[in-house]
Amino acid sequence: MSRPVIEPEECIGCGICVDACPQGVLEIVGSVVEVANEDACIACGDCVEECPMGVIVEIAED
């Protein structure tokens, strides 16, 4: 399984990844996106694919 990790210093807070996530894992806090519900992540990769800045990566977990 994997989880999304966001580089907050590069995030522009556009919310595209939030809208792309089918599980509601991400939310905008202040002016950047944060992982709000990591346990709900199904590792679909939609947020990674949709981020226009390329600041979301998936980290594999055991």
Side-chain angles (χ1 to χ4, degrees), residues 2-53:
S2 62
R3 63 181 177 89
V5 174
I6 300 160
E7 299 173 28
E9 62 280 350
E10 301 294 325
C11 178
I12 61 172
C14 66
I16 293 173
C17 60
V18 175
D19 294 338
C21 179
Q23 298 298 112
V25 173
L26 307 172
E27 67 180 37
I28 296 176
V29 176
S31 62
V32 297
V33 173
E34 292 185 359
V35 178
N37 190 8
E38 187 176 307
D39 292 337
C41 183
I42 58 173
C44 65
D46 288 353
C47 61
V48 176
E49 290 179 27
E50 294 297 323
C51 178
M53 300 302 290

